Amino acid sequence: MTPPSTTPAVDAARAYIEALASHDVSAVRLADGCRRVENGIPTGSSGPAIIRDLDRSRKYRVIKRVEIAEIAERDRAVHADFQVVVALGLAARVRERFDLDADGAITRITARISMPRRR
């Protein structure tokens, strides 16, 4: 069960996080110029490319579920702390920052991902 959202910005970030495992991108709102950076390495060059990856890419198909520990809007961004659970019983902690434009679309995703560990 998903906890109730507190702001539209949190809703936007939660939709992206949940799409990592569900691959249902219908609620994901990314700006055309959205960029994604993971552990300092660019991994998404545009909103449409990131959505296409969430929808079809093998790199996301290994994710079985996400477990959101904390998600909140602060410092004019949404900060999320969650785990991705992947095949073979492995899980990785993820901390992401989502920057949004005035229309509520995500413009930048900055992720810090730990090494997967057996659960």
Side-chain angles (χ1 to χ4, degrees):
M1 177 175 202
T2 302
S5 297
T6 56
T7 68
V10 169
D11 282 342
R14 182 176 281 116
Y16 171 85
I17 293 167
E18 290 176 351
L20 292 170
S22 72
H23 313 292
D24 177 0
V25 296
S26 61
V28 178
R29 293 195 56 224
L30 301 181
D32 284 343
C34 183
R35 300 287 186 259
R36 184 173 187 281
V37 176
E38 181 178 307
N39 294 344
I41 300 168
T43 58
S45 59
S46 71
I50 296 167
I51 287 187
R52 199 170 32 257
D53 278 351
L54 284 171
D55 187 35
R56 298 186 205 126
S57 176
R58 279 191 239 164
K59 68 183 173 184
Y60 293 110
R61 292 289 170 184
V62 299
I63 298 173
K64 302 303 178 195
R65 69 178 185 279
V66 294
E67 299 170 354
I68 300 173
E70 181 181 350
I71 186 167
E73 187 174 5
R74 61 181 184 275
D75 302 328
R76 297 173 31 175
V78 175
H79 299 265
D81 186 353
F82 59 98
Q83 284 199 354
V84 292
V85 179
V86 298
L88 305 173
L90 298 174
R93 182 177 185 188
V94 181
R95 291 182 177 174
E96 284 188 323
R97 174 189 166 115
F98 298 88
D99 296 301
L100 293 91
D101 63 18
D103 294 326
I106 297 169
T107 59
R108 183 173 180 85
I109 305 164
T110 307
R112 303 288 299 166
I113 303 175
S114 69
M115 290 296 293
R117 300 188 188 281
R118 189 156 307 279
R119 288 184 62 137

